[in-house]
Amino acid sequence: MFSLHQFKGQLIPAWNDLKVHYQAEVASTNDLAKDYLADDPKAPGLFVSHHQTKGRGRYGKAFYSQLRHGLYFSLALPIRSSQTYPVDQMTLMTASAIVEAFSPYLEGALAIKWVNDLFYQQRKVAGILTEGVLDSSTWAIKGLVIGVGLNLAGSFSQADPCLHALAGTFFGQTLPDSFKQEEWLAQFLNLLHNLLRGNHEPDYLTIYRSHLMGVGQVITYQDAHQTSRGILRGINDQGHLLIQKPDLSIQSLTSGQIHLGSQQFRNL
């Protein structure tokens, strides 16, 4: 269960107008959030569930959402003339807020696989899917959906066998009594707001860079349907990946340009 009363009681005033919706099982929280934004709401919305039947990640790939203790949620942010969001940076901010919100609960540090995956103890435990909603008449972005899937605790025995070598959880098989989902989610949203407004130290780029996986390592990636290799040197201030090529030049790559396979990061 998820207590809306407990959750709302821990939000900072900046989220007073947030419309919160909880269902134990849904097809996709991102789809619910996109439908919400299609009606041109004035207030942001949050859609929370413990199970998804059609959870997805980037490139339309299925995201396993039937874990015993999973938390899946999507934040719907209307974009108005008086309220804009750095669309290209929201995935980075979200990853940084997740890292900060989990730090009191974990013995080790979370690691970020650029651009939208989080690892713990060499296994993928969370994913982020940021999607824009377009105005049908102007084709401008009128809303932003930030979807997050968290593998809190449980077994992947019923999942596709290809996940067994990569997927993991934050807390093993059992969710600890000290972890309250409502408290964590409120803390995450409060952190996200403060990172967005520049009211948190360190800032999101500093957090992201300090947890970025593979820096200084040779990685393989798909670029324009070709396999390329280079040394990962970090990210620039726009969040683009910096790769050192064999000729020692530095190439800046966006998330839309390349695909990074996750398996190679297990041993970095």
Side-chain angles (χ1 to χ4, degrees):
M1 293 296 295
F2 185 85
S3 172
L4 294 179
H5 177 74
Q6 292 181 22
F7 167 68
K8 290 182 178 179
Q10 299 181 74
L11 291 172
I12 59 176
W15 294 111
N16 281 349
D17 62 345
L18 181 68
K19 307 300 182 185
V20 186
H21 309 264
Y22 171 76
Q23 292 177 258
E25 182 174 276
V26 301
S28 163
T29 58
N30 259 38
D31 286 348
L32 292 176
K34 291 169 76 173
D35 289 343
Y36 174 81
L37 288 173
D39 293 331
D40 297 317
K42 294 183 179 180
L46 180 69
F47 297 82
V48 185
S49 184
H50 284 119
H51 297 280
Q52 295 183 117
T53 58
K54 295 182 179 180
R56 66 180 186 279
R58 295 180 70 210
Y59 311 111
K61 291 183 178 179
F63 187 93
Y64 184 72
S65 309
Q66 295 292 322
L67 205 61
R68 181 182 179 187
H69 296 291
L71 182 63
Y72 314 99
F73 61 90
S74 297
L75 180 64
L77 298 172
I79 296 179
R80 303 182 294 273
S81 58
S82 61
Q83 176 64 75
T84 59
Y85 297 96
V87 175
D88 294 341
Q89 305 285 303
M90 291 304 292
T91 298
L92 280 71
M93 288 188 186
T94 301
S96 299
I98 292 172
V99 166
E100 290 287 276
F102 268 110
S103 62
Y105 299 97
L106 303 176
E107 294 182 0
L110 285 172
I112 301 171
K113 193 216 89 178
W114 188 87
V115 62
N116 67 316
D117 292 331
L118 289 99
F119 279 60
Y120 184 56
Q121 298 177 339
Q122 286 76 53
R123 289 184 177 270
K124 180 179 173 179
V125 295
I128 302 164
L129 177 62
T130 304
E131 298 183 290
V133 174
L134 301 179
D135 186 298
S136 59
S137 59
T138 65
W139 295 105
I141 296 179
K142 69 174 185 178
L144 194 64
V145 174
I146 303 170
V148 175
L150 304 176
N151 301 334
L152 295 177
S155 169
F156 288 91
S157 61
Q158 301 301 312
D160 189 313
C162 69
L163 293 179
H164 294 177
L166 181 65
T169 68
F170 287 92
F171 300 111
Q173 297 287 324
T174 306
L175 199 64
D177 293 337
S178 60
F179 184 82
K180 307 299 181 185
Q181 297 179 44
E182 298 88 351
E183 178 181 321
W184 183 90
L185 185 52
Q187 178 65 5
F188 161 79
L189 285 175
N190 295 341
L191 282 165
L192 182 63
H193 177 270
N194 288 333
L195 287 169
L196 180 62
R197 299 301 173 212
N199 296 329
H200 185 277
E201 290 293 338
D203 62 28
Y204 73 96
L205 283 173
T206 300
I207 297 169
Y208 197 98
R209 284 172 171 141
S210 67
H211 291 267
L212 183 62
M213 302 178 76
V215 176
Q217 302 292 321
V218 175
I219 63 166
T220 302
Y221 58 96
Q222 297 296 317
D223 180 11
H225 306 294
Q226 294 183 342
T227 299
S228 301
R229 288 166 60 86
I231 300 174
L232 196 160
R233 290 302 185 192
I235 60 171
N236 62 18
D237 288 348
Q238 290 72 48
H240 301 165
L241 194 67
L242 300 177
I243 299 292
Q244 182 178 317
K245 305 295 288 182
D247 63 3
L248 301 184
S249 65
I250 301 294
Q251 185 176 12
S252 172
L253 299 169
T254 67
S255 59
Q257 288 179 281
I258 67 169
H259 170 67
L260 291 178
S262 294
Q263 190 64 44
Q264 63 182 313
F265 287 86
R266 278 212 59 198
N267 300 317
L268 293 183

